[in-house]
Amino acid sequence: MPTPTKGHRLGGSPAHERHILANLATALFQHGRITTTEAKAKRLRPVAERLITFAKRGDMHARRHVLTVVTDKGVVHQLFTEIAPEFSERDGGYTRITKIGPRKGDNAAMAVIELVRGEPVAAKPRRRARRAPAEATAAAAPAATTEAEAEGAEPEAEVDEAPEARTRQAPVVPEEGEAEEVDEIADEAADEADEDDAEADAKAEDEDAKPAGDA
């Protein structure tokens, strides 16, 4: 027996596994929902969705390809005429798996797999529509940055110019105490000079007044 693929192994051989999945897919398309084990539901999901994708094409080649898996012509006709048109606006996600708990007896995990029919599909915005808001946001970001830089540059210029203005406009004013002391010292020096001059003049007059014999 060849080595099975990765994942849950169904049946005793690959051919047996293909027959199990084909029968499950036939029952799913015929009844709309089936209850099976969780392992079989997970293996059935990609097979069933691939068959629905072929049925959405609607050509003869797709129909013959589906007939190689689902041999019941009545189920294939139902798949192409009823099921596939309902999924014309849906890009994948045609089935849903719901876990329902363990099975009595062997405690196997059970699940319900069903076709997602009659549910509205949220329309995806086109690529250009998605790109337009992104471009607008990208264009608005540099403008906001430029405005922020301009607003932040003005206070800096004011701060840089302020010290120079204060340096140029501030006059040098001496303190009151220092000015008074300088004036007092100058006045005292002038008075002393006047006194010295007066003493010198008095001595000169006394010398001139003395008679020659006394000398």
Side-chain angles (χ1 to χ4, degrees):
M1 186 179 66
T3 304
T5 59
K6 292 182 179 179
H8 297 284
R9 178 180 174 182
L10 307 177
S13 64
H16 190 194
E17 184 177 27
R18 286 195 299 269
H19 284 295
I20 291 174
L21 294 176
N23 293 332
L24 290 173
T26 302
L28 178 62
F29 297 146
Q30 185 176 2
H31 302 287
R33 58 180 296 170
I34 57 174
T35 301
T36 181
T37 60
E38 185 178 340
K40 290 180 180 179
K42 289 181 179 179
R43 291 298 299 274
L44 173 62
R45 186 174 202 172
V47 175
E49 293 192 356
R50 190 164 182 268
L51 293 175
I52 294 174
T53 302
F54 274 104
K56 288 172 65 176
R57 298 180 184 178
D59 55 357
M60 185 58 66
H61 177 70
R63 186 180 292 268
R64 287 174 178 173
H65 182 82
V66 173
L67 281 170
T68 60
V69 180
V70 181
T71 57
D72 191 342
K73 294 182 180 180
V75 176
V76 173
H77 179 74
Q78 181 182 358
L79 174 62
F80 275 78
T81 59
E82 298 179 8
I83 298 175
E86 295 183 4
F87 297 114
S88 59
E89 298 181 357
R90 183 182 291 272
D91 299 331
Y94 311 122
T95 59
R96 179 190 296 115
I97 297 176
T98 306
K99 299 179 182 179
I100 58 175
R103 179 170 57 189
K104 293 181 180 180
D106 58 354
N107 201 33
M110 300 298 290
V112 174
I113 181 170
E114 58 184 342
L115 298 176
V116 181
R117 304 171 67 175
E119 296 185 4
V121 181
K124 295 182 180 179
R126 292 186 177 181
R127 187 174 182 180
R128 293 182 180 178
R130 293 196 303 267
R131 187 185 300 174
E135 292 178 355
T137 304
T145 305
T146 305
E147 293 178 359
E149 291 178 356
E151 293 177 358
E154 292 179 356
E156 293 180 358
E158 294 178 358
V159 172
D160 293 340
E161 294 176 358
E164 296 179 0
R166 286 198 300 269
T167 304
R168 291 195 301 268
Q169 296 176 0
V172 179
V173 179
E175 297 181 1
E176 297 178 357
E178 293 180 356
E180 293 177 358
E181 291 179 358
V182 171
D183 293 340
E184 291 178 358
I185 294 171
D187 294 340
E188 292 178 358
D191 294 339
E192 291 179 357
D194 294 339
E195 291 178 359
D196 293 340
D197 293 338
E199 292 179 357
D201 293 340
K203 289 181 181 180
E205 290 177 357
D206 292 341
E207 291 178 356
D208 292 339
K210 288 180 181 181
D214 295 338

